[in-house]
Amino acid sequence: MTLLRKIIKRSVGQRASDGAGVRLTRLIGSPEIDMLDPFLLLDCFESDNPDDYIGGFPEHPHRGFETVTYLLAGRMRHKDNAGHEGVIAPGGVQWMTAGRGIVHSEMPEQEDGLLKGFQLWVNLPAKDKMSAPAYQEFSAETIPVENQSDGVIVRVISGQTDEGTVGAVKNTWTHPLYLDISLKAGSSFHQAIPPSHNGFIYVIEGAIEADDAQDMVKAKQLAVLGDGDHVTLRAGTEDSRLLLIAGQRLNEDVARGGPFVMNTRAEVMQAFQDYQNGKF
Ligand code: MN
């Protein structure tokens, strides 16, 4: 371990609406942070007002990347055109590889109460953008949990902690690290992150010190980590919770067209055409 990753950028995101009127905060894929290779988008939704989420995300396509839905509260039902259907419950994750294309809906499975969670878009390398669609789905009970000695609890969705706990989701395209970390006030957490990766934290509750005690990252803030090979995160004077997410840079051209993310404009046009012609 030689180089500590420091915070190079912060954002509280931008209020946005997507799907059929779902109100959310866009943290990546926004004017402030266009993308953080391989991450194309990060949305956070959190509301106990059904008007903010009840419309859900009716049928829509994806091609060329992965969508990762992680729920903290509430339930979402997803259904695709290949007959795959299921419900994501609190603490559960769905890591969907859209590959060459799926058409699906993501709808709240509730009419009231709190809905809270995240959707992350992870790019695929050019050579695998047209791979077969696939799912990795894990309920809260099946996601490995690491209890460290000083009141640190880590839910390991993907990647491997320094103490050796291996995450539920396997991914050899971008070797992602996706950790949900709870810290008692004043406790700290160390994690190696390969220099090949971009990474960020998002603070869910409390406040986190990454490299500067004078400038904590507060709840609902995203902080981009700079170059390095490890990170040290410390909770302030209150119990805190955050996501630590990192992934290997692809360093390829990115052409976006709504729900399609390819390498060239022509490939995006082809995706629209294929979708319109019912080839998904
Ligand atoms: Mn979708």
Side-chain angles (χ1 to χ4, degrees):
M1 300 270 184
T2 52
L3 184 59
L4 178 70
R5 286 176 181 258
K6 296 186 171 182
I7 290 170
I8 56 169
K9 189 167 189 173
R10 292 157 190 259
S11 175
V12 295
Q14 192 178 53
R15 295 290 297 174
S17 173
D18 209 338
V22 179
R23 289 178 59 86
L24 47 84
T25 302
R26 185 147 293 165
L27 291 142
I28 297 176
S30 68
E32 275 185 332
I33 303 175
D34 175 46
M35 69 173 283
L36 187 67
D37 184 13
F39 305 114
L40 302 160
L41 175 142
L42 176 67
D43 284 343
C44 173
F45 43 94
E46 175 178 9
S47 178
D48 56 10
N49 177 1
D51 292 345
D52 290 342
Y53 62 71
I54 205 74
F57 303 88
E59 202 170 88
H60 60 277
H62 294 292
R63 173 181 282 180
F65 60 101
E66 304 184 285
T67 70
V68 181
T69 306
Y70 181 45
L71 273 194
L72 302 184
R75 295 162 64 85
M76 292 279 278
R77 176 174 294 272
H78 64 94
K79 199 189 251 191
D80 78 9
N81 62 334
H84 190 95
E85 182 171 359
V87 172
I88 310 171
V93 67
Q94 181 203 58
W95 198 293
M96 183 188 82
T97 306
R100 64 175 171 257
I102 59 105
V103 181
H104 75 163
S105 60
E106 300 154 280
M107 303 298 288
E109 184 82 350
Q110 63 190 52
E111 290 175 352
D112 53 34
L114 177 65
L115 183 72
K116 181 174 183 175
F118 302 90
Q119 185 161 102
L120 177 72
W121 289 11
V122 187
N123 207 0
L124 285 169
K127 64 178 178 51
D128 296 306
K129 280 185 176 291
M130 296 299 276
S131 61
Y135 290 90
Q136 297 183 72
E137 289 171 302
F138 297 93
S139 63
E141 303 73 48
T142 58
I143 293 173
V145 178
E146 180 177 287
N147 288 281
Q148 299 189 350
S149 52
D150 51 351
V152 178
I153 301 170
V154 190
R155 297 170 46 76
V156 189
I157 293 164
S158 182
Q160 183 172 345
T161 67
D162 286 5
E163 293 195 1
T165 306
V166 176
V169 171
K170 310 296 179 228
N171 185 314
T172 55
W173 288 308
T174 48
H175 303 277
L177 179 72
Y178 196 133
L179 305 178
D180 174 352
I181 306 161
S182 295
L183 296 160
K184 288 282 178 208
S187 66
S188 55
F189 174 76
H190 306 269
Q191 177 66 39
I193 304 174
S196 56
H197 284 41
N198 280 329
F200 65 90
I201 63 171
Y202 175 81
V203 178
I204 297 169
E205 295 164 14
I208 296 293
E209 172 196 336
D211 56 71
D212 180 358
Q214 306 306 312
D215 201 2
M216 312 279 287
V217 184
K218 298 175 187 67
K220 299 183 193 297
Q221 283 187 347
L222 180 145
V224 177
L225 301 170
D227 290 341
D229 57 14
H230 70 288
V231 70
T232 297
L233 304 165
R234 189 188 322 275
T237 53
E238 46 186 328
D239 294 353
S240 302
R241 184 178 182 185
L242 75 150
L243 299 181
L244 169 60
I245 297 176
Q248 190 174 312
R249 288 180 287 272
L250 293 173
N251 296 313
E252 293 179 351
D253 290 337
V254 173
R256 293 183 193 238
F260 310 123
V261 183
M262 305 301 289
N263 301 102
T264 68
R265 210 63 229 154
E267 289 167 349
V268 171
M269 296 315 291
Q270 186 65 51
F272 276 107
Q273 225 171 65
D274 288 351
Y275 175 53
Q276 275 158 8
N277 294 334
K279 291 188 180 168
F280 272 41

